[in-house]
Amino acid sequence: QLKEEGNKYFQAGNYEKAVQSYTQAIKLNKDKALQAVLYRNRAACFLKKEEYAKAASDASRAIDINASDIKALYRRSQALEKLGKLDQAFKDAQKCATIEPRNKNFQETLRRLGANIQEKLHIQFSTDSRVQKMFEILLDENSEKEKREKAANNLIVLGREEAGAERIFQNNGISLLLQLIETKNAELILAAVRTLSGMCTGHKARATAILHYLGIDRICMWMSVDNEEISLAVCSLLQTITDCLLGQGKEEHHGKEEAVVLDTKRDLRMITMRLLDMLVSKNVSGQGRDRALNLLNKNIPRKDLKDHDNSRTTFVIDNGLKKILKVVGQIPEMPDCLPLTENTQLTASVLLNKLYDDLRCDPERDNYRVICEEYIKSKVDPQNMDKTLHAIQMVSGILQGPFDLGNKLLGMKGVMEMMVALCGSEREIDQLVAVEALIHASTKLSRATFIISNGVALLKEIYKKTKNEKIKIRALVGLCKLGSAGGTDYGLRQFAEGSTEKLAKQCRKWLCNTSIDTRTRKWAVEGLAYLTLDADVKDDFVEDEPALQAMFELAKTSDKTILYSVASALVNCTNSYDTKELVPELVQLAKFSKQHVPEEHPKDKKDFVVKRVKRLLKAGVVSALACMVKADSAILTDQSKELIARVFLALCEDPKDRGTVVAQGGGKALIPLAVEGTEVGKIKASHALAKIAAISNPDIAFPGERVSLTNFSGRSDKLRMKIVKERALPDIENYMFENHDQLRQAATECMCNLVVNKEVQEWFVADGNDRLKLVVLLCGEDDEKVQVAAAGALAMLTASQKKLCSKMTEVTTQWLEILQRLCLHDNMEVQHRGLVIAFNLISADKDLAKKLVETELLEILTYTSKQADDP
């Protein structure tokens, strides 16, 4: 019973279920002959699933029971060929051909395998000499520069090919590559590292051997160098090794040998420990620290929360959370600071957030919190202000990562008071750190009241008195942020004690000043994100071309805060935020009770918004948004995606502007926004896509993308087959019944494109369905576009399937009236299709032709033939 069930699943293409049935059957069965059949059948499933090692293993078990099982032999041959074991595959195929010498399939397999074996041998022998020659050129200091460069590039290419990688590996290549790295020549180091990456790709055994030969300490040392290109290449090598150890990337390398490697967990833990050590080492460059953080970010937290194993995360929290916190707590202006880049601390905050999100239960989260609290407490020392400063910086960093945890840490005894006290310090470094911490803390509404009552006066004082631009800009942003957190009583104008335009002008000045570091300029963007809530500010901002360009340039950096701030400022400038409609009766009631009624600013009216959108388009906002969309998912949050989608929708409002949006890559950038993000964001992006699609050629608007089934189905039969295989036909048919005019039209056009396919035609021919009737009735619709599509489908169906010609006359009594209306239609496209259908019916069957000639159709054809020619 289980065997039969497995056979049915296999025939239906459900190989996973088939494997389950056969596996159960194998466990229950004790009959040897049947056991062989079950193993043989399961091998067929594994072949279909492209799990070749398992297929070969099952086929071998069947052969052990019955050595002349021809099906098992052939299946093992196929699996071994895919695993690259050509000589063994050849032997199995040879046995099959001996048992059935007349079988053409076996003869062809033997010919193919024989040719492949010869080619492999030829490549191997020629590769050996090539590899040797390349190393000779590279290690000879007297070689010409051009020759060395060519040899280095050839070596990289060889390392990516299976045969080349194996020959390098077998011929003492790792030792020679190590010699290249030790030359200290940047180009040779890069060539060697990239070759090693190629050799590791998709080959677990080779990757493990290379890791152990080179040693993780040596790899981490190379990644620590202050050379971006080398550091990145070594990071890529370590990622490739990690992928192999985790068993990833196999689907792209079916032909590679799946070697048995003992427990990889030990190696993975060793790599993780060394990466954590890199975070706190003074000998590691800022680039190297970023690479270590990126590798941890990518490989530690689970990719799928359905996977219950989060042991890698708990291991990092227990062994390395304090090390990550140390990076977050670094103060670049202090002399003892570790080497950092502008992105290091934000990347560390992202890692903290990912680790926290990956925890499964409250005890795990409590453990995380306790480690953070104890580490921060250990840094607080009233006698040592520098040490305390690091503690506040840590809290500030956590507030940019796991928000819930940051909120809890703000509640720790004395933390908020310490922030306010440091604001009042005479030391600039104290002010700098404290102001930043206050800004991040003010996002928490529960803490904002405390800060408003205690910190606002200090921030205003700092803003007015300090000569340090870095502190001044942060104080301004703090005031802006508290203004939005505190509501109307603490509005921006009250904080500014004057005009917000002046503050915005100052922010634009900081933004355009490239001599100020990026970390400080990003605060100018955040300030503008708040200040552009004012209509006068946003109008001035879009007129300031240098400021816009400076903001777009900053948006290309990998910074979560910058992306969110830029997107917020653009939403404000395009007025693409949600506004509540004021009910006139309630407005009158409010006025009567002498309540304040907010009025629309004159510069927020439609004419001004349209003008601002045109200015932004002219400045190249679409290219900047398209660049932002490509940011890493850890940087581009769902909230930022929603904001970008809102801006795109505003940019697509005017049909005349949609061509510009498409030309600058907006069409392609909108697709991921419509697929991932918040529900609101996905809807806004979909609306923008629909506006573009309504007026654009899909090939230009969405190059290389899946646009819609209607466009897709008109491209090629391969794509039509894909739609059929995905079982989309019933859904398309249902949409042809819809009351929604555009949806019915699109579905009918889609079906018109699909009927070219033979499988779809058979679908119409099949007995017991009303599909043809639906198409005939749609030909009688009043909507001309639906008529054109339905008549086109009917013309192609009746041309390709004679059965459908006679079937058409049986599906509805209205068929003749509908056909006559098509042939007399005012629209030449519809009339042409009607005449083609009439011609198909007359050509299909003598009796049908007789029947048609006896009706008014003969008069219609006679009348039509006398019409003047229309080119």
Side-chain angles (χ1 to χ4, degrees):
Q1 194 181 330
L2 283 165
K3 175 179 168 269
E4 290 308 315
E5 188 184 84
N7 292 350
K8 281 177 187 173
Y9 281 131
F10 184 84
Q11 282 157 11
N14 192 339
Y15 306 119
E16 191 57 51
K17 288 271 190 187
V19 166
Q20 287 171 17
S21 298
Y22 292 139
T23 304
Q24 260 184 295
I26 288 165
K27 285 176 185 173
L28 294 173
N29 174 60
K30 287 177 183 173
D31 177 70
K32 279 209 164 186
L34 180 56
Q35 197 84 342
V37 174
L38 290 167
Y39 277 125
R40 187 177 76 196
N41 289 2
R42 197 169 70 171
C45 295
F46 286 132
L47 277 174
K48 290 287 186 186
K49 289 178 74 190
E50 298 183 350
E51 292 180 23
Y52 301 119
K54 288 179 182 176
S57 173
D58 270 6
S60 294
R61 285 171 175 174
I63 293 161
D64 288 343
I65 297 166
N66 179 4
S68 58
D69 186 334
I70 197 160
K71 285 186 179 178
L73 282 164
Y74 189 59
R75 279 167 197 169
R76 188 167 72 177
S77 174
Q78 288 175 296
L80 290 168
E81 183 183 353
K82 290 289 183 183
L83 290 168
K85 298 176 179 178
L86 301 182
D87 49 344
Q88 293 174 41
F90 186 84
K91 282 176 189 173
D92 281 346
Q94 215 167 22
K95 284 178 191 171
C96 292
T98 307
I99 298 165
E100 282 187 26
R102 290 186 181 178
N103 189 314
K104 287 182 180 176
N105 202 12
F106 297 156
Q107 295 298 337
E108 178 53 40
T109 303
L110 277 176
R111 268 196 298 275
R112 188 184 68 251
L113 285 169
N116 288 349
I117 287 167
Q118 289 300 317
E119 191 184 346
K120 190 177 177 181
L121 288 169
H122 175 71
I123 289 168
Q124 279 186 359
F125 288 123
S126 59
T127 304
D128 280 351
S129 57
R130 280 165 68 200
V131 169
Q132 209 171 344
K133 198 170 181 184
M134 279 174 219
F135 278 119
E136 280 172 14
I137 294 167
L138 291 167
L139 293 167
D140 182 2
E141 289 178 11
N142 301 318
S143 295
E144 292 171 28
K145 192 187 174 190
E146 205 173 305
K147 270 189 176 181
R148 285 179 99 172
E149 281 176 10
K150 195 175 178 183
N153 289 330
N154 287 344
L155 196 61
I156 296 166
V157 173
L158 260 181
R160 288 175 186 158
E161 296 168 3
E162 175 53 27
E166 195 54 34
R167 298 327 291 166
I168 296 170
F169 186 74
Q170 298 291 354
N171 291 338
N172 194 32
I174 310 299
S175 171
L176 293 168
L177 287 166
L178 200 51
Q179 283 183 48
L180 288 182
I181 293 168
E182 285 165 0
T183 60
K184 305 282 169 65
N185 178 317
E187 283 178 20
L188 295 184
I189 293 170
L190 277 171
V193 172
R194 286 168 181 162
T195 305
L196 287 164
S197 284
M199 290 169 69
C200 290
T201 304
H203 203 296
K204 193 187 280 187
R206 213 161 38 223
T208 308
I210 287 171
L211 172 67
H212 285 241
Y213 188 93
L214 298 176
I216 186 64
D217 290 338
R218 192 183 267 155
I219 295 171
C220 288
M221 183 184 73
W222 296 335
M223 197 162 70
S224 304
V225 299
D226 197 9
N227 179 311
E228 189 175 1
E229 220 175 348
I230 291 173
S231 179
L232 198 59
V234 179
C235 177
S236 176
L237 166 63
L238 198 48
Q239 182 61 60
T240 303
I241 292 171
T242 305
D243 285 344
C244 285
L245 296 178
L246 288 168
Q248 293 170 5
K250 282 183 198 169
E251 62 276 8
E252 292 148 22
H253 303 282
H254 300 308
K256 304 288 173 81
E257 182 173 349
E258 192 173 322
V260 178
V261 178
L262 295 172
D263 188 16
T264 58
K265 284 182 183 174
R266 196 173 164 191
D267 284 336
L268 286 166
R269 288 199 164 186
M270 176 179 71
I271 291 170
T272 305
M273 283 306 294
R274 291 299 178 275
L275 291 174
L276 290 167
D277 290 342
M278 279 180 74
L279 300 184
V280 290
S281 168
K282 286 198 170 184
N283 299 323
V284 173
S285 68
Q287 301 279 0
R289 211 173 313 282
D290 282 3
R291 303 286 170 251
L293 284 165
N294 286 329
L295 285 166
L296 290 165
N297 258 318
K298 192 172 179 183
N299 299 301
I300 299 305
R302 289 170 291 171
K303 303 280 185 294
D304 184 359
L305 294 179
K306 289 174 190 170
D307 173 15
H308 288 291
D309 181 20
N310 70 337
S311 57
R312 289 205 298 276
T313 292
T314 51
F315 177 78
V316 166
I317 289 168
D318 291 338
N319 294 279
L321 185 56
K322 288 180 182 178
K323 291 173 182 176
I324 304 165
L325 287 170
K326 185 174 180 178
V327 175
V328 165
Q330 292 300 297
I331 299 163
E333 291 74 14
M334 299 278 270
D336 63 342
C337 182
L338 294 168
L340 307 171
T341 71
E342 286 165 347
N343 297 319
T344 307
Q345 286 172 291
L346 189 68
T347 311
S349 293
V350 169
L351 177 57
L352 287 175
N353 193 39
K354 279 190 169 186
L355 293 171
Y356 191 74
D357 285 347
D358 198 34
L359 297 175
R360 297 177 306 170
C361 55
D362 286 341
E364 287 184 356
R365 281 183 274 274
D366 287 341
N367 176 51
Y368 189 112
R369 177 182 53 77
V370 168
I371 293 171
C372 290
E373 283 180 355
E374 286 177 356
Y375 192 61
I376 289 165
K377 279 178 190 170
S378 73
K379 294 290 172 191
V380 176
D381 183 355
Q383 305 303 315
N384 187 338
M385 216 49 181
D386 287 355
K387 210 174 170 188
T388 304
L389 213 52
H390 283 296
I392 296 299
Q393 183 80 328
M394 270 177 221
V395 175
S396 188
I398 294 167
L399 283 165
Q400 295 172 75
F403 302 127
D404 299 346
L405 178 65
N407 219 354
K408 284 174 185 169
L409 295 177
L410 284 174
M412 280 170 66
K413 191 180 175 184
V415 169
M416 296 294 286
E417 290 79 2
M418 231 183 313
M419 285 185 191
V420 173
L422 284 167
C423 278
S425 167
E426 292 297 314
R427 281 204 315 175
E428 285 189 342
I429 188 69
D430 295 347
Q431 290 179 10
L432 194 71
V433 172
V435 170
E436 254 189 56
L438 277 175
I439 292 168
H440 295 308
S442 63
T443 313
K444 313 291 167 209
L445 293 175
S446 58
R447 309 288 166 205
T449 316
F450 175 91
I451 300 168
I452 286 164
S453 55
N454 293 278
V456 168
L458 279 168
L459 287 174
K460 286 167 81 173
E461 192 73 12
I462 290 168
Y463 181 74
K464 286 175 186 173
K465 286 186 176 177
T466 186
K467 296 278 178 5
N468 187 322
E469 297 278 273
K470 291 181 179 184
I471 298 171
K472 203 176 188 72
I473 193 169
R474 284 163 172 79
L476 169 61
V477 174
L479 290 169
C480 292
K481 208 162 187 180
L482 289 169
S484 65
T488 52
D489 294 338
Y490 295 94
L492 288 174
R493 290 183 184 277
Q494 287 92 318
F495 282 138
E497 292 180 351
S499 165
T500 45
E501 290 100 296
K502 283 182 183 174
L503 293 176
K505 193 176 179 183
Q506 182 60 56
C507 276
R508 298 205 309 268
K509 192 176 161 189
W510 281 322
L511 182 61
C512 296
N513 188 351
T514 50
S515 64
I516 299 174
D517 63 285
T518 307
R519 191 160 164 250
T520 302
R521 286 170 72 213
K522 86 170 184 182
W523 291 107
V525 184
E526 193 163 345
L528 285 165
Y530 291 102
L531 293 164
T532 47
L533 289 163
D534 185 299
D536 289 315
V537 169
K538 56 182 115 172
D539 225 49
D540 290 343
F541 183 36
V542 295
E543 292 295 326
D544 189 342
E545 176 82 19
L548 281 177
Q549 293 304 331
M551 184 172 80
F552 295 161
E553 199 57 41
L554 269 182
K556 293 174 186 174
T557 59
S558 304
D559 190 301
K560 186 165 69 173
T561 316
I562 290 178
L563 288 185
Y564 185 79
S565 301
V566 170
S568 300
L570 291 172
V571 164
N572 294 339
C573 291
T574 55
N575 283 38
S576 46
Y577 38 70
D578 291 330
T579 50
K580 286 184 181 176
E581 210 170 311
L582 296 173
V583 180
E585 290 81 1
L586 291 177
V587 171
Q588 291 303 317
L589 188 65
K591 283 181 179 175
F592 179 75
S593 59
K594 294 183 181 176
Q595 294 291 320
H596 172 66
V597 179
E599 290 181 20
E600 186 181 39
H601 193 288
K603 288 187 177 179
D604 273 335
K605 290 189 172 156
K606 193 176 178 183
D607 290 351
F608 279 92
V609 176
V610 169
K611 193 179 166 190
R612 286 201 293 270
V613 166
K614 304 278 183 197
R615 283 286 308 159
L616 287 168
L617 282 166
K618 193 180 173 188
V621 68
V622 177
S623 300
L625 291 171
C627 193
M628 287 161 74
V629 171
K630 291 174 187 171
D632 185 78
S633 57
I635 306 298
L636 186 69
T637 61
D638 285 351
Q639 288 72 26
S640 296
K641 286 177 191 172
E642 182 187 314
L643 295 174
I644 294 169
R646 285 176 181 275
V647 178
F648 265 125
L649 185 54
L651 298 174
C652 295
E653 194 59 42
D654 186 344
K656 291 175 189 171
D657 294 331
R658 291 172 201 168
T660 307
V661 173
V662 169
Q664 294 178 8
K668 200 166 182 180
L670 273 163
I671 293 170
L673 296 177
V675 176
E676 293 172 356
T678 65
E679 284 307 308
V680 173
K682 289 193 280 189
I683 290 167
K684 300 278 182 194
S686 300
H687 283 181
L689 278 172
K691 286 178 184 287
I692 288 173
I695 60 138
S696 306
N697 175 344
D699 285 338
I700 297 167
F702 313 101
E705 295 292 340
R706 289 178 289 178
V707 190
S708 67
L709 289 179
T710 305
N711 287 309
F712 225 26
S713 58
R715 298 297 291 274
S716 73
D717 207 51
K718 188 180 176 185
L719 296 175
R720 286 188 278 275
M721 277 304 295
K722 177 77 175 160
I723 293 170
V724 174
K725 280 183 179 174
E726 293 290 338
R727 300 187 180 89
L729 288 175
D731 288 332
I732 296 164
E733 188 182 16
N734 288 338
Y735 288 129
M736 288 164 76
F737 286 104
E738 283 285 340
N739 288 326
H740 191 289
D741 292 343
Q742 286 168 305
L743 193 51
R744 190 169 72 253
Q745 177 201 324
T748 312
E749 286 171 352
C750 186
M751 190 60 79
C752 179
N753 289 337
L754 286 168
V755 295
V756 181
N757 183 274
K758 284 208 170 153
E759 279 199 36
V760 179
Q761 292 165 14
E762 294 296 335
W763 197 60
F764 276 89
V765 172
D767 292 329
N769 72 74
D770 285 336
R771 288 168 195 133
L772 190 68
K773 180 180 178 179
L774 171 62
V775 176
V776 174
L777 291 174
L778 286 171
C779 288
E781 286 272 316
D782 292 331
D783 186 326
E784 273 190 23
K785 286 182 176 175
V786 172
Q787 267 189 313
V788 169
L794 194 55
M796 285 188 276
L797 285 167
T798 50
S800 57
Q801 299 286 336
K802 286 190 178 181
K803 281 184 189 175
L804 293 176
C805 294
S806 51
K807 192 175 180 179
M808 178 184 158
T809 64
E810 297 159 10
V811 290
T812 171
T813 53
Q814 296 169 273
W815 74 271
L816 186 58
E817 184 195 335
I818 290 169
L819 180 59
Q820 289 171 346
R821 279 177 62 194
L822 291 177
C823 293
L824 277 169
H825 209 286
D826 294 335
N827 183 327
M828 295 293 285
E829 278 192 82
V830 179
Q831 188 186 36
H832 175 224
R833 284 157 173 73
L835 293 167
V836 171
I837 296 164
F839 175 77
N840 292 340
L841 296 185
I842 292 165
S843 308
D845 182 75
K846 191 178 178 182
D847 293 336
L848 190 51
K850 231 178 191 181
K851 194 175 175 181
L852 284 168
V853 171
E854 287 166 5
T855 67
E856 290 173 355
L857 189 69
L858 185 61
E859 279 181 59
I860 293 168
L861 294 174
T862 309
Y863 165 75
T864 308
S865 67
K866 290 175 182 174
Q867 278 182 307
D869 259 1
D870 185 332

